[in-house]
Amino acid sequence: MARWEPRPVVATLRSTCYAVIHAGIYYGPDSLKTKLCLEGKRMMYELCEKQGIPYRNCKKWILAQNDQQHAELDKTHEFSTSIGVPTHFISLAEAGDREPGVRAQNAVLESPTTGIIDSHSYMTYLESDFQSKGGDMACNTKVDAVGPLSDGRQGYNIQTTASSGESAEITAETLINSAGLAAVPLSNSILPLDRHMKPYYAKGSYYSYASPCPRPKTLIYPAPTTGAAGLGTHLTMDMTGAIRFGPDVEWVDDPNDLSVNEERLAAALDEIEIYLPTIHREKVMLDYAGIRPKLGKGSAVARGKGDGFSDFYIKKEEGFDGFINLLGIESPGLTSSLAIADMVDSLLYK
């Protein structure tokens, strides 16, 4: 087994050292996102307990400020109940007692299985586990080209260049394309033109908060908006309790542009202030940006036909022996990661 990474492995995840463990309540009844998020969440919590990977089951609130948003929470609750994921409404009085700095004018839906994980510790464990099972890793190494040999029947020729400038070439029996932002371009370089896909890059800016109050202990999300490409500028936290806001959605053409867009701060502050009215605006600072690999500009929430919702694309490509494609692995990709690995194993070997 071999794996190529253009950067050091741990650096491939955001520098904040945490990530959300998602409940799986937004993605529709029949999607891979739902199936793999639910299974991945269970596997992730079990792994954290077994291996001592830091995590917190801090829960999540989804807030409604009006009747229209309340209706969206009702849909989310009905769907979560239908797939066996617990959610429940809490009274506004209880919400005020538990999180006095948070404003919810109409309703609060709580997701008790949502949490956060120390993502660097998680990646470090996976790296060590991979290598202990005989896997070889080539960090700081870029894949330049992949060529199928006899449609993959004789393997795949892989050409790489290390950061030192040293080039290498190997032949692999199987090929798993899990290249994130580069996955669609790599797939398009292998598959025929009529099977090409278009990549979409959704840049999200995040903002730190340098004040001790308000400081909620629960993840705070606005009500989902059908058709929106994200879940709104929400409040998350790291393992120390420091809070951050984001991401927003900014469509970009360059998947390498990770600069934080200062022009978006004012709009983000206005959105944050809706649910956190006592925030000190001057204490909200530009932090970092990330880019999500999407397969379309449609809704992040599945509500039915016509919303443009894009599912994960995980497939053993027909006519190319041993080639597994993983495209559009955005959120809830990290939560789903262990279940995705099991699915890839099944596609290849079972």
Side-chain angles (χ1 to χ4, degrees):
M1 297 179 289
R3 173 179 172 175
W4 291 270
E5 288 282 352
R7 296 178 294 274
V9 172
V10 173
T12 61
L13 279 177
R14 64 187 70 151
S15 60
T16 55
C17 301
Y18 78 97
V20 174
I21 302 175
H22 290 284
I25 58 178
Y26 291 123
Y27 315 114
D30 303 314
S31 70
L32 283 177
K33 285 184 176 179
T34 293
K35 175 184 176 182
L36 296 172
C37 185
L38 298 187
E39 180 63 10
K41 175 182 62 175
R42 180 191 64 78
M43 296 172 71
M44 181 166 284
Y45 278 130
E46 288 181 358
L47 182 71
C48 287
E49 284 290 329
K50 183 178 180 180
Q51 299 296 333
I53 299 170
Y55 78 97
R56 285 174 56 196
N57 181 209
C58 52
K59 304 179 175 56
K60 178 173 83 172
W61 286 1
I62 311 170
L63 309 181
Q65 309 295 350
N66 54 49
D67 289 343
Q68 181 179 358
Q69 292 181 352
H70 195 159
E72 291 295 329
L73 266 58
D74 285 335
K75 293 176 186 177
T76 302
H77 177 56
E78 290 168 7
F79 173 67
S80 70
T81 300
S82 74
I83 60 172
V85 176
T87 59
H88 57 268
F89 285 95
I90 64 174
S91 70
L92 297 185
E94 179 184 346
D97 288 340
R98 288 171 56 184
E99 297 287 6
V102 174
R103 176 165 60 190
Q105 295 179 305
N106 194 288
V108 177
L109 182 66
E110 182 169 78
S111 169
T113 63
T114 303
I116 58 174
I117 183 174
D118 182 330
S119 52
H120 280 202
S121 295
Y122 176 60
M123 290 295 291
T124 299
Y125 166 78
L126 293 180
E127 178 183 0
S128 175
D129 186 60
F130 176 74
Q131 292 175 323
S132 72
K133 291 178 169 61
D136 293 321
M137 301 194 66
C139 299
N140 298 303
T141 301
K142 179 177 179 293
V143 173
D144 298 312
V146 176
L149 305 174
S150 301
D151 293 330
R153 293 187 298 276
Q154 297 181 23
Y156 294 84
N157 177 262
I158 302 171
Q159 300 173 32
T160 66
T161 303
S163 58
S164 63
E166 181 181 356
S167 298
E169 185 174 334
I170 72 164
T171 298
E173 181 180 345
T174 60
L175 176 67
I176 302 170
N177 175 20
S178 57
L181 295 168
V184 169
L186 180 59
S187 174
N188 290 347
S189 74
I190 299 170
L191 297 178
L193 183 61
D194 62 350
R195 291 162 66 178
H196 284 192
M197 302 179 75
K198 181 179 179 179
Y200 294 85
Y201 305 115
K203 183 177 181 178
S205 293
Y206 289 81
Y207 310 94
S208 61
Y209 188 51
S211 175
C213 61
R215 183 155 294 196
K217 297 180 175 61
T218 309
L219 305 182
I220 307 296
Y221 283 58
T225 301
T226 301
L231 296 176
T233 301
H234 43 269
L235 181 155
T236 59
M237 64 197 67
D238 64 21
M239 300 302 296
T240 70
I243 65 174
R244 287 178 174 81
F245 304 99
D248 53 12
V249 175
E250 177 186 2
W251 296 106
V252 297
D253 296 321
D254 181 4
N256 299 304
D257 177 14
L258 294 176
S259 59
V260 183
N261 189 343
E262 187 172 1
E263 295 178 357
R264 304 182 71 85
L265 177 58
L269 284 169
D270 290 343
E271 188 171 351
I272 295 164
E273 214 164 32
I274 293 172
Y275 60 81
L276 212 63
T278 61
I279 191 172
H280 302 286
R281 292 174 68 103
E282 72 280 3
K283 298 293 186 179
V284 179
M285 308 294 182
L286 304 179
D287 195 359
Y288 67 97
I291 297 180
R292 288 154 280 183
K294 288 180 171 283
L295 298 179
K297 291 187 176 183
S299 178
V301 178
R303 291 297 195 214
K305 293 182 179 179
D307 59 18
F309 173 79
S310 294
D311 200 4
F312 291 153
Y313 180 101
I314 302 175
K315 187 175 180 180
K316 188 173 184 179
E317 293 291 357
E318 183 178 356
F320 292 82
D321 287 6
F323 178 26
I324 306 292
N325 242 339
L326 285 77
L327 310 179
I329 309 299
E330 52 163 333
S331 181
L334 187 136
T335 304
S336 306
S337 55
L338 297 174
I340 290 174
D342 275 359
M343 180 177 178
V344 170
D345 181 73
S346 295
L347 288 171
L348 280 173
Y349 304 117
K350 296 178 183 177

